[in-house]
Amino acid sequence: MTSQKTQQSTESAQSPENNARRSLLNGLWLILSGLALAEIAWLIVSFLRPLKSKVSSGQHAAIIDAGPADRFIPNTVTAFPRGRFYLACLEDGGFLALSRRCTHLGCTVPWDPGKAQFACPCHASVFDIRGDVIQSPAPRALDRFIVSIENNRVIVDTSRPIQRSAFHKEQVVYK
Ligand code: FES
């Protein structure tokens, strides 16, 4: 009797219906495993892709070619929104790249050509063309970026703002 039952259960386990069900479950398992692997691969690619596009698209490129040095008139400020900086061409023709971020709480500071100064709209700090504080609450001069002149072109490295307490002559770059 017992051996008859065992034979029946073995037969039912190997029935075409059970085999079909097992094949279906195996197929589903393979599909779900494939989807999980694809998702992991997509996450890895998404994580890496922004770094690549920032470098290649130029939208957030760190090195900005501001143009020919001769193009800039002394005692003027030119905004470079793409690089988020101002290029100040000082009275003696020297160049200084200034961050647009106020050193008080980080508001964007617009240049006022009429008054020849940067005036922060948030808490009324004022900076001169060299980025020095004329009026607080800003605690220090506007950050600056490294400037170099290459083949008579002004190149600004915006990868790292340089903090400074005040303007110094050594910060200016000449052609
Ligand atoms: S953020 Fe510019 S003065 Fe406060």
Side-chain angles (χ1 to χ4, degrees):
M1 186 72 180
T2 310
S3 113
Q4 211 173 7
K5 266 189 177 176
T6 307
Q7 192 179 359
Q8 274 179 349
S9 81
T10 308
E11 279 172 6
S12 74
Q14 291 175 347
S15 73
E17 284 172 14
N18 280 345
N19 282 341
R21 195 175 301 143
R22 192 170 295 126
S23 294
L24 182 68
L25 287 174
N26 282 341
L28 277 174
W29 171 248
L30 278 175
I31 289 170
L32 289 175
S33 300
L35 285 174
L37 282 175
E39 190 171 346
I40 289 169
W42 180 81
L43 284 172
I44 291 170
V45 169
S46 313
F47 179 74
L48 295 175
R49 192 170 31 197
L51 286 177
K52 191 180 171 193
S53 66
K54 275 181 191 174
V55 172
S56 60
S57 72
Q59 267 196 335
H60 303 286
I63 306 296
I64 307 283
D65 182 345
D70 302 334
R71 168 189 148 196
F72 300 97
I73 300 163
N75 233 0
T76 60
V77 169
T78 307
F80 286 83
R82 187 167 67 104
R84 299 180 185 151
F85 69 93
Y86 293 104
L87 186 67
C89 183
L90 304 181
E91 203 171 24
D92 61 0
F95 292 100
L96 197 57
L98 302 170
S99 167
R100 299 193 312 175
R101 284 173 55 93
C102 181
T103 53
H104 179 223
L105 292 177
C107 290
T108 297
V109 183
W111 170 248
D112 181 344
K115 293 182 179 172
Q117 62 188 24
F118 299 96
C120 183
C122 293
H123 312 98
S125 286
V126 178
F127 307 84
D128 67 15
I129 192 171
R130 302 169 310 173
D132 260 342
V133 178
I134 298 174
Q135 183 175 296
S136 55
R140 56 186 175 76
L142 293 174
D143 293 347
R144 69 182 181 92
F145 296 108
I146 298 282
V147 176
S148 58
I149 310 289
E150 296 171 21
N151 298 323
N152 200 42
R153 298 188 74 84
V154 183
I155 309 296
V156 180
D157 179 354
T158 62
S159 61
R160 188 174 53 91
I162 300 169
Q163 291 189 2
R164 58 192 182 141
S165 55
F167 169 79
H168 293 292
K169 187 81 177 154
E170 309 82 63
Q171 297 163 359
V172 182
V173 172
Y174 297 89
K175 54 182 174 177

